[in-house]
Amino acid sequence: MLAFAVVALLISMSVVLTVSVVFPGITGRQIIDIVLGCAAVAVAAGGWTLIRSLRAHSSVEVDRRDRETWRMPPLNMLSKPVMSAGRKLTLTVLGSYMAIAMVLVIVRIIQLAIAN
């Protein structure tokens, strides 16, 4: 939960920074609206993930007898982890946002350089 909250905060701050660079006339109220919008999306996504996680783990039975002696197998024996569709979608959305933000900031820098 803490990691999720930190990532959500960093993403919302990144959105505010990008918007303030591209639109320098943004008001404080608009920045608050952006932060609240990001918080609403983060709460909805976190709640959905938590509910899915609780449903998925409720039917799993854990054998606690081997807990003290269990060791991780060697790395060369492990298979590559399978990425879920949700994780792929999330990484695609974040990567797209970063690419768009980078292009917009570069365009703004060029506009400022040409104006001066």
Side-chain angles (χ1 to χ4, degrees), residues 2-16:
L2 178 64
F4 186 85
V6 168
V7 169
L9 179 66
L10 289 173
I11 290 172
S12 68
M13 290 183 349
S14 172
V15 170
V16 168

Side-chain angles (χ1 to χ4, degrees), residues 36 56 75-76 89:
L36 292 176
L75 289 178
N76 60 356
L89 176 67

